[in-house]
mmCIF file of all heavy atoms in Angstrom:
data_model
loop_
_atom_site.group_PDB
_atom_site.id
_atom_site.type_symbol
_atom_site.label_atom_id
_atom_site.label_comp_id
_atom_site.label_asym_id
_atom_site.label_seq_id
_atom_site.Cartn_x
_atom_site.Cartn_y
_atom_site.Cartn_z
ATOM 1 N N ALA A 1466 114.795 148.894 -47.030
ATOM 2 C CA ALA A 1466 116.081 148.937 -46.326
ATOM 3 C C ALA A 1466 116.569 147.504 -46.183
ATOM 4 O O ALA A 1466 115.921 146.666 -45.635
ATOM 5 C CB ALA A 1466 115.882 149.578 -44.947
ATOM 6 N N GLY A 1467 117.762 147.223 -46.715
ATOM 7 C CA GLY A 1467 118.275 145.864 -46.674
ATOM 8 C C GLY A 1467 117.652 144.986 -47.744
ATOM 9 O O GLY A 1467 116.938 145.453 -48.616
ATOM 10 N N SER A 1468 117.918 143.717 -47.688
ATOM 11 C CA SER A 1468 117.395 142.752 -48.660
ATOM 12 C C SER A 1468 116.257 141.941 -48.024
ATOM 13 O O SER A 1468 116.078 141.963 -46.819
ATOM 14 C CB SER A 1468 118.476 141.799 -49.117
ATOM 15 O OG SER A 1468 119.009 141.055 -48.026
ATOM 16 N N GLN A 1469 115.490 141.269 -48.877
ATOM 17 C CA GLN A 1469 114.376 140.469 -48.374
ATOM 18 C C GLN A 1469 114.925 139.148 -47.840
ATOM 19 O O GLN A 1469 115.450 138.320 -48.587
ATOM 20 C CB GLN A 1469 113.366 140.210 -49.511
ATOM 21 C CG GLN A 1469 112.102 139.509 -49.046
ATOM 22 C CD GLN A 1469 111.177 140.433 -48.271
ATOM 23 O OE1 GLN A 1469 111.448 141.601 -48.140
ATOM 24 N NE2 GLN A 1469 110.101 139.870 -47.774
ATOM 25 N N ARG A 1470 114.855 138.906 -46.553
ATOM 26 C CA ARG A 1470 115.446 137.743 -45.923
ATOM 27 C C ARG A 1470 114.478 136.558 -45.971
ATOM 28 O O ARG A 1470 113.324 136.661 -45.623
ATOM 29 C CB ARG A 1470 115.840 138.095 -44.476
ATOM 30 C CG ARG A 1470 116.439 136.966 -43.661
ATOM 31 C CD ARG A 1470 117.873 136.655 -44.077
ATOM 32 N NE ARG A 1470 118.751 137.818 -43.983
ATOM 33 C CZ ARG A 1470 120.057 137.750 -44.218
ATOM 34 N NH1 ARG A 1470 120.611 136.588 -44.549
ATOM 35 N NH2 ARG A 1470 120.808 138.842 -44.118
ATOM 36 N N ASP A 1471 114.967 135.410 -46.362
ATOM 37 C CA ASP A 1471 114.262 134.130 -46.302
ATOM 38 C C ASP A 1471 112.929 134.164 -47.026
ATOM 39 O O ASP A 1471 111.863 133.951 -46.426
ATOM 40 C CB ASP A 1471 114.051 133.707 -44.838
ATOM 41 C CG ASP A 1471 113.610 132.261 -44.726
ATOM 42 O OD1 ASP A 1471 113.969 131.460 -45.613
ATOM 43 O OD2 ASP A 1471 112.878 131.932 -43.755
ATOM 44 N N ARG A 1472 112.979 134.361 -48.340
ATOM 45 C CA ARG A 1472 111.758 134.364 -49.134
ATOM 46 C C ARG A 1472 111.179 132.947 -49.247
ATOM 47 O O ARG A 1472 110.008 132.783 -49.547
ATOM 48 C CB ARG A 1472 112.067 134.914 -50.532
ATOM 49 C CG ARG A 1472 112.479 136.375 -50.506
ATOM 50 C CD ARG A 1472 112.889 136.919 -51.842
ATOM 51 N NE ARG A 1472 111.721 137.115 -52.725
ATOM 52 C CZ ARG A 1472 111.435 136.405 -53.786
ATOM 53 N NH1 ARG A 1472 112.227 135.388 -54.130
ATOM 54 N NH2 ARG A 1472 110.385 136.647 -54.525
ATOM 55 N N ASP A 1473 112.003 131.928 -48.997
ATOM 56 C CA ASP A 1473 111.510 130.565 -49.022
ATOM 57 C C ASP A 1473 110.380 130.371 -47.994
ATOM 58 O O ASP A 1473 109.377 129.715 -48.297
ATOM 59 C CB ASP A 1473 112.629 129.561 -48.726
ATOM 60 C CG ASP A 1473 113.645 129.506 -49.853
ATOM 61 O OD1 ASP A 1473 113.503 130.268 -50.810
ATOM 62 O OD2 ASP A 1473 114.563 128.660 -49.781
ATOM 63 N N SER A 1474 110.598 130.905 -46.800
ATOM 64 C CA SER A 1474 109.563 130.780 -45.744
ATOM 65 C C SER A 1474 108.389 131.676 -46.034
ATOM 66 O O SER A 1474 107.239 131.337 -45.710
ATOM 67 C CB SER A 1474 110.158 131.108 -44.385
ATOM 68 O OG SER A 1474 111.145 130.183 -44.024
ATOM 69 N N GLU A 1475 108.646 132.835 -46.644
ATOM 70 C CA GLU A 1475 107.535 133.791 -46.861
ATOM 71 C C GLU A 1475 106.546 133.313 -47.912
ATOM 72 O O GLU A 1475 105.436 133.830 -47.987
ATOM 73 C CB GLU A 1475 108.084 135.164 -47.243
ATOM 74 C CG GLU A 1475 107.063 136.277 -47.087
ATOM 75 C CD GLU A 1475 107.637 137.643 -47.212
ATOM 76 O OE1 GLU A 1475 108.518 137.840 -48.070
ATOM 77 O OE2 GLU A 1475 107.226 138.527 -46.458
ATOM 78 N N ILE A 1476 106.906 132.310 -48.706
ATOM 79 C CA ILE A 1476 105.970 131.776 -49.657
ATOM 80 C C ILE A 1476 104.782 131.114 -48.937
ATOM 81 O O ILE A 1476 103.692 130.987 -49.544
ATOM 82 C CB ILE A 1476 106.638 130.753 -50.631
ATOM 83 C CG1 ILE A 1476 105.736 130.473 -51.840
ATOM 84 C CG2 ILE A 1476 106.952 129.479 -49.884
ATOM 85 C CD1 ILE A 1476 105.455 131.666 -52.712
ATOM 86 N N LEU A 1477 104.991 130.741 -47.694
ATOM 87 C CA LEU A 1477 103.897 130.094 -46.935
ATOM 88 C C LEU A 1477 102.746 131.072 -46.649
ATOM 89 O O LEU A 1477 101.577 130.758 -46.987
ATOM 90 C CB LEU A 1477 104.443 129.512 -45.623
ATOM 91 C CG LEU A 1477 105.421 128.363 -45.806
ATOM 92 C CD1 LEU A 1477 106.132 128.055 -44.472
ATOM 93 C CD2 LEU A 1477 104.699 127.124 -46.314
ATOM 94 N N PRO A 1478 102.978 132.264 -46.048
ATOM 95 C CA PRO A 1478 101.852 133.203 -45.892
ATOM 96 C C PRO A 1478 101.316 133.704 -47.225
ATOM 97 O O PRO A 1478 100.107 133.967 -47.344
ATOM 98 C CB PRO A 1478 102.466 134.318 -45.049
ATOM 99 C CG PRO A 1478 103.920 134.171 -45.153
ATOM 100 C CD PRO A 1478 104.183 132.730 -45.345
ATOM 101 N N ILE A 1479 102.195 133.835 -48.226
ATOM 102 C CA ILE A 1479 101.721 134.252 -49.540
ATOM 103 C C ILE A 1479 100.838 133.174 -50.143
ATOM 104 O O ILE A 1479 99.806 133.435 -50.780
ATOM 105 C CB ILE A 1479 102.913 134.564 -50.478
ATOM 106 C CG1 ILE A 1479 103.585 135.851 -50.011
ATOM 107 C CG2 ILE A 1479 102.456 134.709 -51.928
ATOM 108 C CD1 ILE A 1479 104.888 136.177 -50.723
ATOM 109 N N GLY A 1480 101.207 131.897 -49.901
ATOM 110 C CA GLY A 1480 100.360 130.797 -50.301
ATOM 111 C C GLY A 1480 98.983 130.833 -49.639
ATOM 112 O O GLY A 1480 97.973 130.531 -50.280
ATOM 113 N N SER A 1481 98.958 131.240 -48.370
ATOM 114 C CA SER A 1481 97.686 131.348 -47.661
ATOM 115 C C SER A 1481 96.794 132.405 -48.307
ATOM 116 O O SER A 1481 95.591 132.214 -48.470
ATOM 117 C CB SER A 1481 97.926 131.698 -46.207
ATOM 118 O OG SER A 1481 98.714 130.738 -45.560
ATOM 119 N N VAL A 1482 97.393 133.533 -48.677
ATOM 120 C CA VAL A 1482 96.654 134.599 -49.332
ATOM 121 C C VAL A 1482 96.126 134.120 -50.693
ATOM 122 O O VAL A 1482 94.962 134.339 -51.045
ATOM 123 C CB VAL A 1482 97.551 135.858 -49.520
ATOM 124 C CG1 VAL A 1482 96.829 136.887 -50.363
ATOM 125 C CG2 VAL A 1482 97.919 136.442 -48.140
ATOM 126 N N MET A 1483 96.970 133.465 -51.449
ATOM 127 C CA MET A 1483 96.595 132.962 -52.763
ATOM 128 C C MET A 1483 95.472 131.925 -52.654
ATOM 129 O O MET A 1483 94.501 131.947 -53.430
ATOM 130 C CB MET A 1483 97.795 132.352 -53.467
ATOM 131 C CG MET A 1483 97.539 132.000 -54.933
ATOM 132 S SD MET A 1483 97.164 133.494 -55.897
ATOM 133 C CE MET A 1483 97.059 132.768 -57.542
ATOM 134 N N ALA A 1484 95.591 131.034 -51.692
ATOM 135 C CA ALA A 1484 94.544 130.015 -51.488
ATOM 136 C C ALA A 1484 93.227 130.658 -51.097
ATOM 137 O O ALA A 1484 92.145 130.210 -51.535
ATOM 138 C CB ALA A 1484 94.990 129.020 -50.398
ATOM 139 N N ALA A 1485 93.275 131.724 -50.312
ATOM 140 C CA ALA A 1485 92.076 132.429 -49.932
ATOM 141 C C ALA A 1485 91.403 133.085 -51.130
ATOM 142 O O ALA A 1485 90.194 133.093 -51.267
ATOM 143 C CB ALA A 1485 92.401 133.477 -48.845
ATOM 144 N N LEU A 1486 92.212 133.663 -52.015
ATOM 145 C CA LEU A 1486 91.710 134.295 -53.242
ATOM 146 C C LEU A 1486 91.002 133.251 -54.127
ATOM 147 O O LEU A 1486 90.042 133.565 -54.812
ATOM 148 C CB LEU A 1486 92.839 134.961 -53.999
ATOM 149 C CG LEU A 1486 93.451 136.211 -53.385
ATOM 150 C CD1 LEU A 1486 94.688 136.622 -54.171
ATOM 151 C CD2 LEU A 1486 92.433 137.353 -53.358
ATOM 152 N N GLN A 1487 91.496 132.011 -54.100
ATOM 153 C CA GLN A 1487 90.924 130.969 -54.945
ATOM 154 C C GLN A 1487 89.899 130.104 -54.205
ATOM 155 O O GLN A 1487 89.359 129.133 -54.748
ATOM 156 C CB GLN A 1487 92.038 130.062 -55.482
ATOM 157 C CG GLN A 1487 93.019 130.794 -56.408
ATOM 158 C CD GLN A 1487 93.974 129.828 -57.111
ATOM 159 O OE1 GLN A 1487 94.091 128.652 -56.766
ATOM 160 N NE2 GLN A 1487 94.683 130.319 -58.120
ATOM 161 N N GLY A 1488 89.590 130.495 -52.967
ATOM 162 C CA GLY A 1488 88.584 129.762 -52.186
ATOM 163 C C GLY A 1488 88.985 128.364 -51.824
ATOM 164 O O GLY A 1488 88.158 127.437 -51.763
ATOM 165 N N LYS A 1489 90.293 128.153 -51.533
ATOM 166 C CA LYS A 1489 90.786 126.798 -51.233
ATOM 167 C C LYS A 1489 91.326 126.697 -49.799
ATOM 168 O O LYS A 1489 92.298 125.992 -49.539
ATOM 169 C CB LYS A 1489 91.893 126.447 -52.224
ATOM 170 C CG LYS A 1489 91.447 126.378 -53.667
ATOM 171 C CD LYS A 1489 92.607 126.021 -54.597
ATOM 172 C CE LYS A 1489 92.149 125.925 -56.049
ATOM 173 N NZ LYS A 1489 93.271 125.618 -56.962
ATOM 174 N N THR A 1490 90.667 127.360 -48.862
ATOM 175 C CA THR A 1490 91.155 127.321 -47.473
ATOM 176 C C THR A 1490 90.170 126.623 -46.548
ATOM 177 O O THR A 1490 90.373 126.664 -45.319
ATOM 178 C CB THR A 1490 91.390 128.744 -46.959
ATOM 179 O OG1 THR A 1490 90.184 129.516 -47.072
ATOM 180 C CG2 THR A 1490 92.489 129.445 -47.762
ATOM 181 N N ASP A 1491 89.151 126.002 -47.068
ATOM 182 C CA ASP A 1491 88.117 125.407 -46.205
ATOM 183 C C ASP A 1491 88.600 124.097 -45.582
ATOM 184 O O ASP A 1491 88.103 123.678 -44.558
ATOM 185 C CB ASP A 1491 86.849 125.155 -47.007
ATOM 186 C CG ASP A 1491 86.174 126.455 -47.447
ATOM 187 O OD1 ASP A 1491 86.387 127.473 -46.735
ATOM 188 O OD2 ASP A 1491 85.487 126.452 -48.488
ATOM 189 N N ASN A 1492 89.557 123.418 -46.204
ATOM 190 C CA ASN A 1492 90.011 122.119 -45.705
ATOM 191 C C ASN A 1492 91.455 122.161 -45.230
ATOM 192 O O ASN A 1492 92.244 121.246 -45.498
ATOM 193 C CB ASN A 1492 89.881 121.076 -46.818
ATOM 194 C CG ASN A 1492 88.410 120.891 -47.252
ATOM 195 O OD1 ASN A 1492 87.524 120.799 -46.414
ATOM 196 N ND2 ASN A 1492 88.200 120.848 -48.566
ATOM 197 N N ASN A 1493 91.819 123.242 -44.547
ATOM 198 C CA ASN A 1493 93.208 123.366 -44.087
ATOM 199 C C ASN A 1493 93.449 122.768 -42.702
ATOM 200 O O ASN A 1493 94.515 122.946 -42.114
ATOM 201 C CB ASN A 1493 93.657 124.834 -44.102
ATOM 202 C CG ASN A 1493 92.766 125.737 -43.262
ATOM 203 O OD1 ASN A 1493 91.809 125.288 -42.651
ATOM 204 N ND2 ASN A 1493 93.106 127.018 -43.219
ATOM 205 N N GLN A 1494 92.454 122.067 -42.151
ATOM 206 C CA GLN A 1494 92.596 121.257 -40.922
ATOM 207 C C GLN A 1494 93.027 122.078 -39.710
ATOM 208 O O GLN A 1494 93.679 121.564 -38.794
ATOM 209 C CB GLN A 1494 93.582 120.118 -41.152
ATOM 210 C CG GLN A 1494 93.194 119.198 -42.311
ATOM 211 C CD GLN A 1494 94.270 118.192 -42.635
ATOM 212 O OE1 GLN A 1494 95.063 117.802 -41.766
ATOM 213 N NE2 GLN A 1494 94.331 117.749 -43.886
ATOM 214 N N GLY A 1495 92.700 123.360 -39.678
ATOM 215 C CA GLY A 1495 93.062 124.200 -38.546
ATOM 216 C C GLY A 1495 94.402 124.895 -38.672
ATOM 217 O O GLY A 1495 94.772 125.663 -37.783
ATOM 218 N N PHE A 1496 95.140 124.629 -39.748
ATOM 219 C CA PHE A 1496 96.445 125.277 -39.951
ATOM 220 C C PHE A 1496 96.283 126.499 -40.830
ATOM 221 O O PHE A 1496 95.424 126.527 -41.740
ATOM 222 C CB PHE A 1496 97.414 124.297 -40.582
ATOM 223 C CG PHE A 1496 97.763 123.133 -39.696
ATOM 224 C CD1 PHE A 1496 97.024 121.931 -39.805
ATOM 225 C CD2 PHE A 1496 98.763 123.209 -38.756
ATOM 226 C CE1 PHE A 1496 97.327 120.854 -39.005
ATOM 227 C CE2 PHE A 1496 99.053 122.126 -37.941
ATOM 228 C CZ PHE A 1496 98.342 120.958 -38.042
ATOM 229 N N GLY A 1497 97.131 127.504 -40.613
ATOM 230 C CA GLY A 1497 96.977 128.764 -41.333
ATOM 231 C C GLY A 1497 97.909 128.975 -42.499
ATOM 232 O O GLY A 1497 97.664 129.854 -43.332
ATOM 233 N N LEU A 1498 99.000 128.227 -42.561
ATOM 234 C CA LEU A 1498 100.001 128.421 -43.619
ATOM 235 C C LEU A 1498 99.898 127.316 -44.667
ATOM 236 O O LEU A 1498 99.806 126.126 -44.351
ATOM 237 C CB LEU A 1498 101.392 128.438 -43.012
ATOM 238 C CG LEU A 1498 101.680 129.625 -42.076
ATOM 239 C CD1 LEU A 1498 103.050 129.447 -41.409
ATOM 240 C CD2 LEU A 1498 101.627 130.946 -42.824
ATOM 241 N N LEU A 1499 99.946 127.776 -45.934
ATOM 242 C CA LEU A 1499 99.804 126.848 -47.055
ATOM 243 C C LEU A 1499 100.945 127.110 -48.071
ATOM 244 O O LEU A 1499 101.001 128.215 -48.620
ATOM 245 C CB LEU A 1499 98.455 127.036 -47.730
ATOM 246 C CG LEU A 1499 97.221 126.764 -46.837
ATOM 247 C CD1 LEU A 1499 95.983 127.319 -47.494
ATOM 248 C CD2 LEU A 1499 97.071 125.280 -46.587
ATOM 249 N N GLY A 1500 101.775 126.129 -48.291
ATOM 250 C CA GLY A 1500 102.832 126.291 -49.269
ATOM 251 C C GLY A 1500 102.316 126.076 -50.674
ATOM 252 O O GLY A 1500 101.337 125.325 -50.875
ATOM 253 N N ILE A 1501 102.939 126.727 -51.639
ATOM 254 C CA ILE A 1501 102.600 126.503 -53.029
ATOM 255 C C ILE A 1501 103.647 125.538 -53.612
ATOM 256 O O ILE A 1501 104.829 125.874 -53.681
ATOM 257 C CB ILE A 1501 102.596 127.829 -53.851
ATOM 258 C CG1 ILE A 1501 101.653 128.830 -53.200
ATOM 259 C CG2 ILE A 1501 102.210 127.568 -55.279
ATOM 260 C CD1 ILE A 1501 101.637 130.194 -53.876
ATOM 261 N N GLN A 1502 103.216 124.339 -53.968
ATOM 262 C CA GLN A 1502 104.173 123.292 -54.333
ATOM 263 C C GLN A 1502 104.864 123.575 -55.655
ATOM 264 O O GLN A 1502 106.077 123.468 -55.779
ATOM 265 C CB GLN A 1502 103.430 121.955 -54.407
ATOM 266 C CG GLN A 1502 103.041 121.395 -53.039
ATOM 267 C CD GLN A 1502 102.384 120.034 -53.154
ATOM 268 O OE1 GLN A 1502 101.374 119.885 -53.852
ATOM 269 N NE2 GLN A 1502 102.955 119.059 -52.485
ATOM 270 N N ASN A 1503 104.082 123.898 -56.687
ATOM 271 C CA ASN A 1503 104.646 124.014 -58.027
ATOM 272 C C ASN A 1503 105.066 125.472 -58.332
ATOM 273 O O ASN A 1503 104.509 126.133 -59.177
ATOM 274 C CB ASN A 1503 103.660 123.517 -59.073
ATOM 275 C CG ASN A 1503 102.262 124.101 -58.882
ATOM 276 O OD1 ASN A 1503 101.908 124.495 -57.774
ATOM 277 N ND2 ASN A 1503 101.484 124.124 -59.941
ATOM 278 N N ILE A 1504 106.085 125.920 -57.568
ATOM 279 C CA ILE A 1504 106.581 127.277 -57.786
ATOM 280 C C ILE A 1504 108.090 127.279 -57.505
ATOM 281 O O ILE A 1504 108.588 126.536 -56.661
ATOM 282 C CB ILE A 1504 105.838 128.290 -56.862
ATOM 283 C CG1 ILE A 1504 106.136 129.735 -57.288
ATOM 284 C CG2 ILE A 1504 106.261 128.096 -55.404
ATOM 285 C CD1 ILE A 1504 105.266 130.744 -56.599
ATOM 286 N N ASN A 1505 108.829 128.100 -58.262
ATOM 287 C CA ASN A 1505 110.264 128.204 -58.080
ATOM 288 C C ASN A 1505 110.551 129.166 -56.929
ATOM 289 O O ASN A 1505 110.401 130.382 -57.051
ATOM 290 C CB ASN A 1505 110.918 128.713 -59.368
ATOM 291 C CG ASN A 1505 112.429 128.612 -59.349
ATOM 292 O OD1 ASN A 1505 113.052 128.684 -58.278
ATOM 293 N ND2 ASN A 1505 113.048 128.443 -60.499
ATOM 294 N N LEU A 1506 111.005 128.616 -55.798
ATOM 295 C CA LEU A 1506 111.224 129.431 -54.610
ATOM 296 C C LEU A 1506 112.351 130.439 -54.761
ATOM 297 O O LEU A 1506 112.374 131.466 -54.083
ATOM 298 C CB LEU A 1506 111.520 128.537 -53.398
ATOM 299 C CG LEU A 1506 110.362 127.626 -52.949
ATOM 300 C CD1 LEU A 1506 110.820 126.745 -51.812
ATOM 301 C CD2 LEU A 1506 109.176 128.453 -52.516
ATOM 302 N N SER A 1507 113.291 130.159 -55.638
ATOM 303 C CA SER A 1507 114.459 131.062 -55.788
ATOM 304 C C SER A 1507 114.180 132.274 -56.675
ATOM 305 O O SER A 1507 114.930 133.245 -56.632
ATOM 306 C CB SER A 1507 115.653 130.263 -56.330
ATOM 307 O OG SER A 1507 115.360 129.771 -57.636
ATOM 308 N N SER A 1508 113.093 132.199 -57.479
ATOM 309 C CA SER A 1508 112.904 133.294 -58.438
ATOM 310 C C SER A 1508 111.461 133.818 -58.524
ATOM 311 O O SER A 1508 111.147 134.592 -59.413
ATOM 312 C CB SER A 1508 113.336 132.830 -59.845
ATOM 313 O OG SER A 1508 112.550 131.684 -60.253
ATOM 314 N N TYR A 1509 110.589 133.378 -57.614
ATOM 315 C CA TYR A 1509 109.184 133.795 -57.759
ATOM 316 C C TYR A 1509 109.006 135.280 -57.451
ATOM 317 O O TYR A 1509 109.772 135.864 -56.688
ATOM 318 C CB TYR A 1509 108.293 132.969 -56.846
ATOM 319 C CG TYR A 1509 108.368 133.324 -55.365
ATOM 320 C CD1 TYR A 1509 107.521 134.313 -54.839
ATOM 321 C CD2 TYR A 1509 109.255 132.697 -54.510
ATOM 322 C CE1 TYR A 1509 107.567 134.633 -53.475
ATOM 323 C CE2 TYR A 1509 109.310 133.013 -53.152
ATOM 324 C CZ TYR A 1509 108.477 133.991 -52.661
ATOM 325 O OH TYR A 1509 108.515 134.330 -51.329
#
């Protein structure tokens, strides 16, 4: 229902999931959200 609002911000929790799948969340310094740098935010 409706459109997906603000996908730019949603890449952060998706990045957290992806980092967890790749085992790269051990050094996140207590923060839970991880952005994916090398990705096109407008078309991913």
Side-chain angles (χ1 to χ4, degrees):
S1468 61
Q1469 187 74 4
R1470 178 74 58 176
D1471 193 28
R1472 295 176 74 249
D1473 290 5
S1474 295
E1475 196 169 40
I1476 195 62
L1477 294 168
I1479 290 173
S1481 300
V1482 172
M1483 189 63 176
L1486 290 171
Q1487 295 188 349
K1489 297 179 180 179
T1490 58
D1491 294 333
N1492 298 315
N1493 57 0
Q1494 303 172 28
F1496 295 93
L1498 294 174
L1499 300 165
I1501 304 177
Q1502 288 183 303
N1503 49 336
I1504 194 170
N1505 190 331
L1506 294 177
S1507 62
S1508 61
Y1509 76 89

